Amino acid sequence: MNGAISSWIFSLPSLSCLGLGSNNFSGQLEDFKYNSLVEISLSDNKLQGYLPKSIRNLVKLKRLHLSSNNFSGKIDVSFFSNLKQLSKLNLSYNSISLTNANKVKSTLPESLTQLALSTCEVDELDMQHNSLSGDLQTTFGLGSGLKSFNLHGNNVEGKIPISLAYCKQLEFLDLGNNHFNDAFPMWLGILPNLRVLSLRSNKLHGPIRISSSTKLFPKLRMLDLSCNAFTAEVPTSLFQNLKAMRRIDQTVKAPKDEYYYARLSNCGNDSGDVDGQGVFLDEMPRIGKTM
């Protein structure tokens, strides 16, 4: 099927599922006249223009799949804040810019468990202290402009999304106080601009293995791995990679390297929040080179 989607479809008062994916529909979406929709699946078409504002009123909506179209424009994350039942949101492979212009925290729905944003322009995602749970299947694609991702204080489980490796602009990543069950994500070390990394209070396990032949975490200045289940000792090679953390003590005759803003234990205070400037709000002990 091709051409524009017929206008009468947008006026059906009892329509609960709109599934027209993998066709050749084009043109712009009209406003939805009723809020009965539970699922919209329009992926793999040639639809274009802005998303209709009426989507904000679809309070029963659980799944919104709009990937692989030609939608464009800037969308503030607050656009979806009224969709309290939304669990799956896929905006991948469009020309959409997701913004947080109002700097309001927790504007994405708490019910969200799958978020796919490949090729979308996203600068900042702040979903801290929501009630997000389950396996968060967040997908980013090559060329992602994401600089800050804060998921602190939720109940997310499963693996750390490996698609974060595509976020070459990422500077701030806080996944603390969740239930991620994974090994140490050494692949995060390839991110050239990562400055703050908090993985505290999860279920990360196993040894921390660091490649001696690869230069990892070149700009990392703050690291929190406390309150996990890592085994064996933290390898000194990890700290040898953290050159951006080093500070030379000029007060002694033989300069001594020290590493700052690294937390590996001390779980008494489990808040562990990291503020927008990349500074831990609870006291951060410094780690000597010999540890």
Side-chain angles (χ1 to χ4, degrees):
M1 292 184 284
N2 53 33
I5 298 175
S6 299
S7 297
W8 59 269
I9 290 180
F10 299 92
S11 300
L12 295 174
S14 301
L15 184 66
S16 62
C17 179
L18 177 59
L20 297 173
S22 300
N23 283 287
N24 288 306
F25 287 112
S26 58
Q28 297 188 355
L29 287 182
E30 296 185 21
D31 277 315
F32 295 94
K33 303 300 190 297
Y34 297 93
N35 63 358
S36 57
L37 279 162
V38 174
E39 178 174 355
I40 298 176
S41 182
L42 298 174
S43 298
D44 297 299
N45 280 286
K46 298 178 181 178
L47 298 168
Q48 61 190 35
Y50 299 103
L51 298 187
K53 294 181 179 179
S54 57
I55 289 179
R56 296 177 174 178
N57 303 322
L58 302 178
V59 294
K60 297 179 181 180
L61 195 64
K62 295 182 179 180
R63 295 172 290 277
L64 179 59
H65 299 287
L66 301 176
S67 63
S68 300
N69 280 284
N70 298 312
F71 292 115
S72 59
K74 294 182 178 180
I75 301 177
D76 195 89
V77 289
S78 60
F79 184 90
F80 305 102
S81 60
N82 291 330
L83 308 183
K84 305 300 185 184
Q85 299 184 52
L86 188 66
S87 62
K88 299 180 180 180
L89 174 61
N90 191 343
L91 302 177
S92 296
Y93 303 107
N94 285 284
S95 297
I96 291 173
S97 296
L98 194 64
T99 66
N100 188 8
N102 298 322
K103 301 298 180 183
V104 178
K105 295 181 179 180
S106 306
T107 50
L108 285 169
E110 296 181 0
S111 55
L112 197 65
T113 61
Q114 292 186 17
L115 177 64
L117 300 170
S118 296
T119 74
C120 292
E121 294 183 18
V122 186
D123 182 70
E124 176 182 349
L125 277 179
D126 189 345
M127 296 187 284
Q128 62 177 312
H129 298 298
N130 269 299
S131 298
L132 299 176
S133 61
D135 188 352
L136 184 65
Q137 300 177 30
T138 307
T139 305
F140 302 97
L142 283 170
S144 173
L146 185 68
K147 293 183 178 180
S148 176
F149 187 27
N150 195 338
L151 198 63
H152 186 98
N154 286 282
N155 295 299
V156 180
E157 303 173 349
K159 305 288 187 181
I160 296 174
I162 198 168
S163 62
L164 283 168
Y166 293 132
C167 302
K168 301 301 184 184
Q169 305 302 315
L170 192 64
E171 299 178 2
F172 179 99
L173 178 61
D174 187 353
L175 304 179
N177 285 66
N178 280 283
H179 303 289
F180 284 109
N181 192 336
D182 203 349
F184 178 68
M186 186 177 70
W187 46 268
L188 286 174
I190 67 174
L191 296 177
N193 296 297
L194 189 63
R195 298 174 183 272
V196 176
L197 175 60
S198 175
L199 301 175
R200 68 173 287 123
S201 298
N202 279 284
K203 297 179 180 179
L204 304 182
H205 53 82
I208 297 177
R209 293 191 175 95
I210 298 293
S211 172
S212 58
S213 61
T214 304
K215 294 182 179 180
L216 302 174
F217 301 107
K219 292 188 178 180
L220 195 67
R221 299 187 65 85
M222 304 187 107
L223 174 66
D224 192 345
L225 304 179
S226 59
C227 304
N228 281 287
F230 293 120
T231 58
E233 296 181 356
V234 178
T236 56
S237 56
L238 171 62
F239 295 101
Q240 290 169 355
N241 274 289
L242 304 180
K243 294 183 178 180
M245 265 191 204
R246 293 182 184 176
R247 189 176 91 173
I248 298 177
D249 189 347
Q250 302 287 0
T251 64
V252 295
K253 293 182 179 180
K256 176 184 177 182
D257 287 352
E258 291 180 329
Y259 295 91
Y260 282 76
Y261 310 117
R263 178 185 287 276
L264 305 178
S265 56
N266 296 342
C267 299
N269 178 358
D270 203 36
S271 64
D273 287 317
V274 184
D275 73 8
Q277 301 300 316
V279 178
F280 285 100
L281 299 182
D282 55 353
E283 184 180 355
M284 185 67 62
R286 65 189 183 188
I287 306 300
K289 186 176 180 181
T290 58
M291 290 192 64

